[in-house]
């Protein structure tokens, strides 16, 4: 809650009831997917349903994302269970608040450029789509791995904060694949 005070009083859903958490989540828990969040994949889970109802993954930026997330209970008590979740997105919001930069810019300037990671993107460029890895899913009924068609890739993405003097980037083409959240801001 030091960097994301909106999450200070987040509740956890236990036996259908929202209850206070026994402890505050930590950065270690965010980084290890044990902070108690979820990802909206389960059709039957009430927390995942709230993620979908709130259109959490369609937030315009990480600030709106955190504001929406603060109104949704955790799926698990922090630190008690590993569950793949939006914890990495929350970590991105922490980085934005600490650094004062959009997350995508922070990564580009502090990690990707210094390490010469020229093929690391938040949105796969059209010219490089042929090199994009194929996604798979487990078909439990047929008990086999199957290729996930590109049209089935999750396309909704959280957008990063735009500085006041940076208008939103035009959306001229549909996104074909999601490797990470996409910036909605024009580069300066």
């Amino acid at each position: 809650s030091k960097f994301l005070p909106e999450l200070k009083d987040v509740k956890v859903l236990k036996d259908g009831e929202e209850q206070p958490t026994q402890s505050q989540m930590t950065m270690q828990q965010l980084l290890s997917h044990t902070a108690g969040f979820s990802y909206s994949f389960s059709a039957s889970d009430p927390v995942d349903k709230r993620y979908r109802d709130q259109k959490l993954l369609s937030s315009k930026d990480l600030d709106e994302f955190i504001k929406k997330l603060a109104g949704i209970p955790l799926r698990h008590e922090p630190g008690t269970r590993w569950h793949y979740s939006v914890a990495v997105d929350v970590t991105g919001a922490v980085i934005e608040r600490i650094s004062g930069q959009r997350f995508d810019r922070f990564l580009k300037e502090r990690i990707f450029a210094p390490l010469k990671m020229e093929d690391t993107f938040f949105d796969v460029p059209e010219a490089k789509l042929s090199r994009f890895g194929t996604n798979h899913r487990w078909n439990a009924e047929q008990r086999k791995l199957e290729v996930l068609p590109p049209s089935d890739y999750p396309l909704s993405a959280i957008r990063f904060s735009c500085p006041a003097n940076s208008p939103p980037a035009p959306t001229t083409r549909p996104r074909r694949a999601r490797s990470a959240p996409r910036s909605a801001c024009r580069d300066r």
Side-chain angles (χ1 to χ4, degrees):
S1 62
K2 179 178 179 180
F3 301 107
L4 302 172
E6 301 94 329
L7 299 180
K8 182 181 181 200
D9 296 319
V10 71
K11 307 277 191 229
V12 62
L13 193 66
K14 291 182 182 175
D15 301 320
E17 302 271 332
E18 289 187 31
Q19 301 177 10
T21 59
Q22 293 177 6
S23 63
Q24 294 281 315
M25 66 188 74
T26 67
M27 285 302 301
Q28 181 177 355
Q29 291 166 351
L30 286 173
L31 294 169
S32 63
H33 288 287
T34 60
F37 295 110
S38 193
Y39 217 128
S40 77
F41 295 145
S42 172
S44 61
D45 183 78
V47 172
D48 287 15
K49 182 180 182 325
R50 298 242 326 245
Y51 279 35
R52 290 188 303 277
D53 291 348
Q54 292 295 315
K55 297 180 175 36
L56 186 65
L57 298 181
S58 297
S59 299
K60 68 178 180 180
D61 57 34
L62 289 174
D63 285 333
E64 180 181 89
F65 172 81
I66 294 299
K67 184 178 178 180
K68 288 179 181 180
L69 188 62
I72 303 171
L74 298 174
R75 188 168 178 179
H76 306 287
E77 187 70 45
T80 62
R81 183 170 172 189
W82 183 92
H83 186 78
Y84 185 70
S85 71
V86 297
V88 291
D89 305 273
V90 174
T91 302
V94 171
I95 290 169
E96 280 193 352
R97 302 261 176 106
I98 292 171
S99 71
Q101 288 183 287
R102 292 187 339 243
F103 186 49
D104 59 332
R105 293 308 258 169
F106 178 89
L107 291 176
K108 184 176 182 180
E109 291 175 13
R110 305 256 186 118
I111 298 173
F112 304 154
L115 294 175
K116 298 184 182 2
M117 295 173 66
E118 297 169 4
D119 271 354
T120 303
F121 311 98
F122 277 92
D123 191 15
V124 179
E126 195 80 34
K128 297 190 181 216
L129 280 175
S130 65
R131 295 176 44 219
F132 188 72
T134 304
N135 281 342
H136 295 79
R137 69 175 158 222
W138 179 254
N139 183 324
E141 288 180 12
Q142 297 180 8
R143 300 183 46 79
K144 70 176 188 174
L145 196 61
E146 60 187 20
V147 172
L148 184 64
S151 62
D152 288 349
Y153 292 177
L155 299 179
S156 60
I158 298 162
R159 296 175 180 231
F160 298 96
S161 304
C162 294
N165 60 353
S166 176
T171 53
T172 55
R173 67 176 177 84
R175 298 193 58 220
R176 291 201 188 167
R178 179 181 182 210
S179 56
R182 169 188 178 196
S183 173
C185 309
R186 287 190 181 130
D187 291 326
R188 294 190 219 186

PDB file of all heavy atoms in Angstrom, residues 38-50 52 75 83:
ATOM      1  N   SER A  38      -6.128 -12.880  -9.183  1.00  0.00           N
ATOM      2  CA  SER A  38      -6.493 -13.880 -10.175  1.00  0.00           C
ATOM      3  C   SER A  38      -6.288 -13.274 -11.558  1.00  0.00           C
ATOM      4  O   SER A  38      -5.580 -12.280 -11.707  1.00  0.00           O
ATOM      5  CB  SER A  38      -7.941 -14.329  -9.973  1.00  0.00           C
ATOM      6  OG  SER A  38      -8.196 -15.497 -10.718  1.00  0.00           O
ATOM      7  N   TYR A  39      -6.913 -13.877 -12.606  1.00  0.00           N
ATOM      8  CA  TYR A  39      -6.723 -13.358 -13.963  1.00  0.00           C
ATOM      9  C   TYR A  39      -7.979 -13.378 -14.818  1.00  0.00           C
ATOM     10  O   TYR A  39      -7.941 -13.050 -15.972  1.00  0.00           O
ATOM     11  CB  TYR A  39      -5.628 -14.139 -14.678  1.00  0.00           C
ATOM     12  CG  TYR A  39      -4.777 -13.268 -15.567  1.00  0.00           C
ATOM     13  CD1 TYR A  39      -3.402 -13.291 -15.463  1.00  0.00           C
ATOM     14  CD2 TYR A  39      -5.322 -12.416 -16.526  1.00  0.00           C
ATOM     15  CE1 TYR A  39      -2.616 -12.502 -16.255  1.00  0.00           C
ATOM     16  CE2 TYR A  39      -4.545 -11.626 -17.328  1.00  0.00           C
ATOM     17  CZ  TYR A  39      -3.194 -11.671 -17.191  1.00  0.00           C
ATOM     18  OH  TYR A  39      -2.419 -10.887 -17.980  1.00  0.00           O
ATOM     19  N   SER A  40      -9.073 -13.795 -14.337  1.00  0.00           N
ATOM     20  CA  SER A  40     -10.369 -13.845 -15.033  1.00  0.00           C
ATOM     21  C   SER A  40     -10.523 -15.023 -15.984  1.00  0.00           C
ATOM     22  O   SER A  40     -11.418 -15.032 -16.802  1.00  0.00           O
ATOM     23  CB  SER A  40     -10.681 -12.525 -15.763  1.00  0.00           C
ATOM     24  OG  SER A  40      -9.964 -12.388 -16.967  1.00  0.00           O
ATOM     25  N   PHE A  41      -9.685 -16.024 -15.888  1.00  0.00           N
ATOM     26  CA  PHE A  41      -9.761 -17.176 -16.783  1.00  0.00           C
ATOM     27  C   PHE A  41     -10.910 -18.124 -16.439  1.00  0.00           C
ATOM     28  O   PHE A  41     -11.462 -18.772 -17.309  1.00  0.00           O
ATOM     29  CB  PHE A  41      -8.460 -17.983 -16.773  1.00  0.00           C
ATOM     30  CG  PHE A  41      -7.269 -17.254 -17.323  1.00  0.00           C
ATOM     31  CD1 PHE A  41      -6.014 -17.472 -16.778  1.00  0.00           C
ATOM     32  CD2 PHE A  41      -7.381 -16.369 -18.381  1.00  0.00           C
ATOM     33  CE1 PHE A  41      -4.907 -16.824 -17.292  1.00  0.00           C
ATOM     34  CE2 PHE A  41      -6.274 -15.711 -18.893  1.00  0.00           C
ATOM     35  CZ  PHE A  41      -5.028 -15.942 -18.342  1.00  0.00           C
ATOM     36  N   SER A  42     -11.245 -18.237 -15.171  1.00  0.00           N
ATOM     37  CA  SER A  42     -12.258 -19.202 -14.748  1.00  0.00           C
ATOM     38  C   SER A  42     -13.668 -18.656 -14.959  1.00  0.00           C
ATOM     39  O   SER A  42     -14.017 -17.584 -14.459  1.00  0.00           O
ATOM     40  CB  SER A  42     -12.068 -19.552 -13.270  1.00  0.00           C
ATOM     41  OG  SER A  42     -13.152 -20.335 -12.814  1.00  0.00           O
ATOM     42  N   ALA A  43     -14.472 -19.426 -15.658  1.00  0.00           N
ATOM     43  CA  ALA A  43     -15.856 -19.007 -15.912  1.00  0.00           C
ATOM     44  C   ALA A  43     -16.715 -19.112 -14.654  1.00  0.00           C
ATOM     45  O   ALA A  43     -17.705 -18.406 -14.509  1.00  0.00           O
ATOM     46  CB  ALA A  43     -16.459 -19.864 -17.022  1.00  0.00           C
ATOM     47  N   SER A  44     -16.332 -19.971 -13.713  1.00  0.00           N
ATOM     48  CA  SER A  44     -17.172 -20.207 -12.542  1.00  0.00           C
ATOM     49  C   SER A  44     -16.708 -19.478 -11.282  1.00  0.00           C
ATOM     50  O   SER A  44     -17.468 -19.393 -10.319  1.00  0.00           O
ATOM     51  CB  SER A  44     -17.239 -21.709 -12.245  1.00  0.00           C
ATOM     52  OG  SER A  44     -15.942 -22.204 -11.975  1.00  0.00           O
ATOM     53  N   ASP A  45     -15.507 -18.951 -11.261  1.00  0.00           N
ATOM     54  CA  ASP A  45     -15.005 -18.301 -10.058  1.00  0.00           C
ATOM     55  C   ASP A  45     -15.606 -16.898  -9.901  1.00  0.00           C
ATOM     56  O   ASP A  45     -15.563 -16.092 -10.841  1.00  0.00           O
ATOM     57  CB  ASP A  45     -13.480 -18.199 -10.094  1.00  0.00           C
ATOM     58  CG  ASP A  45     -12.937 -17.594  -8.824  1.00  0.00           C
ATOM     59  OD1 ASP A  45     -12.859 -18.320  -7.819  1.00  0.00           O
ATOM     60  OD2 ASP A  45     -12.645 -16.369  -8.828  1.00  0.00           O
ATOM     61  N   PRO A  46     -16.166 -16.567  -8.728  1.00  0.00           N
ATOM     62  CA  PRO A  46     -16.804 -15.253  -8.548  1.00  0.00           C
ATOM     63  C   PRO A  46     -15.834 -14.071  -8.635  1.00  0.00           C
ATOM     64  O   PRO A  46     -16.223 -12.993  -9.088  1.00  0.00           O
ATOM     65  CB  PRO A  46     -17.454 -15.343  -7.165  1.00  0.00           C
ATOM     66  CG  PRO A  46     -16.840 -16.510  -6.494  1.00  0.00           C
ATOM     67  CD  PRO A  46     -16.310 -17.422  -7.548  1.00  0.00           C
ATOM     68  N   VAL A  47     -14.593 -14.252  -8.218  1.00  0.00           N
ATOM     69  CA  VAL A  47     -13.616 -13.169  -8.346  1.00  0.00           C
ATOM     70  C   VAL A  47     -13.292 -12.941  -9.815  1.00  0.00           C
ATOM     71  O   VAL A  47     -13.275 -11.798 -10.296  1.00  0.00           O
ATOM     72  CB  VAL A  47     -12.338 -13.461  -7.523  1.00  0.00           C
ATOM     73  CG1 VAL A  47     -11.252 -12.431  -7.813  1.00  0.00           C
ATOM     74  CG2 VAL A  47     -12.663 -13.501  -6.027  1.00  0.00           C
ATOM     75  N   ASP A  48     -13.060 -14.008 -10.554  1.00  0.00           N
ATOM     76  CA  ASP A  48     -12.778 -13.885 -11.987  1.00  0.00           C
ATOM     77  C   ASP A  48     -13.941 -13.234 -12.724  1.00  0.00           C
ATOM     78  O   ASP A  48     -13.745 -12.431 -13.637  1.00  0.00           O
ATOM     79  CB  ASP A  48     -12.470 -15.258 -12.591  1.00  0.00           C
ATOM     80  CG  ASP A  48     -11.106 -15.790 -12.195  1.00  0.00           C
ATOM     81  OD1 ASP A  48     -10.505 -15.249 -11.238  1.00  0.00           O
ATOM     82  OD2 ASP A  48     -10.633 -16.729 -12.838  1.00  0.00           O
ATOM     83  N   LYS A  49     -15.157 -13.566 -12.309  1.00  0.00           N
ATOM     84  CA  LYS A  49     -16.346 -12.950 -12.921  1.00  0.00           C
ATOM     85  C   LYS A  49     -16.332 -11.441 -12.687  1.00  0.00           C
ATOM     86  O   LYS A  49     -16.643 -10.662 -13.586  1.00  0.00           O
ATOM     87  CB  LYS A  49     -17.621 -13.580 -12.368  1.00  0.00           C
ATOM     88  CG  LYS A  49     -18.894 -13.010 -12.994  1.00  0.00           C
ATOM     89  CD  LYS A  49     -20.137 -13.666 -12.432  1.00  0.00           C
ATOM     90  CE  LYS A  49     -21.420 -13.190 -13.032  1.00  0.00           C
ATOM     91  NZ  LYS A  49     -21.522 -11.815 -13.420  1.00  0.00           N
ATOM     92  N   ARG A  50     -15.936 -11.013 -11.500  1.00  0.00           N
ATOM     93  CA  ARG A  50     -15.879  -9.574 -11.209  1.00  0.00           C
ATOM     94  C   ARG A  50     -14.804  -8.900 -12.069  1.00  0.00           C
ATOM     95  O   ARG A  50     -14.984  -7.765 -12.503  1.00  0.00           O
ATOM     96  CB  ARG A  50     -15.610  -9.332  -9.721  1.00  0.00           C
ATOM     97  CG  ARG A  50     -16.698  -9.880  -8.836  1.00  0.00           C
ATOM     98  CD  ARG A  50     -17.497  -8.958  -7.977  1.00  0.00           C
ATOM     99  NE  ARG A  50     -16.950  -7.800  -7.380  1.00  0.00           N
ATOM    100  CZ  ARG A  50     -16.826  -7.612  -6.069  1.00  0.00           C
ATOM    101  NH1 ARG A  50     -17.160  -8.574  -5.219  1.00  0.00           N
ATOM    102  NH2 ARG A  50     -16.387  -6.476  -5.607  1.00  0.00           N
ATOM    103  N   ARG A  52     -14.051  -9.734 -15.072  1.00  0.00           N
ATOM    104  CA  ARG A  52     -14.682  -9.574 -16.394  1.00  0.00           C
ATOM    105  C   ARG A  52     -15.768  -8.498 -16.360  1.00  0.00           C
ATOM    106  O   ARG A  52     -15.833  -7.655 -17.257  1.00  0.00           O
ATOM    107  CB  ARG A  52     -15.252 -10.910 -16.875  1.00  0.00           C
ATOM    108  CG  ARG A  52     -14.182 -11.926 -17.251  1.00  0.00           C
ATOM    109  CD  ARG A  52     -14.768 -13.172 -17.902  1.00  0.00           C
ATOM    110  NE  ARG A  52     -15.758 -13.855 -17.087  1.00  0.00           N
ATOM    111  CZ  ARG A  52     -15.481 -14.724 -16.119  1.00  0.00           C
ATOM    112  NH1 ARG A  52     -14.224 -15.027 -15.842  1.00  0.00           N
ATOM    113  NH2 ARG A  52     -16.449 -15.313 -15.451  1.00  0.00           N
ATOM    114  N   ARG A  75      -8.646 -13.411  -4.587  1.00  0.00           N
ATOM    115  CA  ARG A  75      -9.131 -14.797  -4.686  1.00  0.00           C
ATOM    116  C   ARG A  75      -8.584 -15.635  -3.532  1.00  0.00           C
ATOM    117  O   ARG A  75      -9.223 -16.592  -3.083  1.00  0.00           O
ATOM    118  CB  ARG A  75      -8.715 -15.376  -6.031  1.00  0.00           C
ATOM    119  CG  ARG A  75      -9.327 -16.721  -6.310  1.00  0.00           C
ATOM    120  CD  ARG A  75      -9.137 -17.119  -7.748  1.00  0.00           C
ATOM    121  NE  ARG A  75      -9.683 -18.437  -7.984  1.00  0.00           N
ATOM    122  CZ  ARG A  75      -9.672 -19.024  -9.155  1.00  0.00           C
ATOM    123  NH1 ARG A  75      -9.158 -18.418 -10.208  1.00  0.00           N
ATOM    124  NH2 ARG A  75     -10.171 -20.217  -9.299  1.00  0.00           N
ATOM    125  N   HIS A  83      -1.011 -18.574  -7.610  1.00  0.00           N
ATOM    126  CA  HIS A  83      -2.090 -18.536  -8.589  1.00  0.00           C
ATOM    127  C   HIS A  83      -1.704 -17.514  -9.648  1.00  0.00           C
ATOM    128  O   HIS A  83      -1.520 -16.332  -9.330  1.00  0.00           O
ATOM    129  CB  HIS A  83      -3.413 -18.146  -7.931  1.00  0.00           C
ATOM    130  CG  HIS A  83      -4.593 -18.229  -8.837  1.00  0.00           C
ATOM    131  ND1 HIS A  83      -5.207 -19.420  -9.152  1.00  0.00           N
ATOM    132  CD2 HIS A  83      -5.257 -17.275  -9.528  1.00  0.00           C
ATOM    133  CE1 HIS A  83      -6.210 -19.197  -9.984  1.00  0.00           C
ATOM    134  NE2 HIS A  83      -6.253 -17.895 -10.234  1.00  0.00           N
TER     135      HIS A  83
END
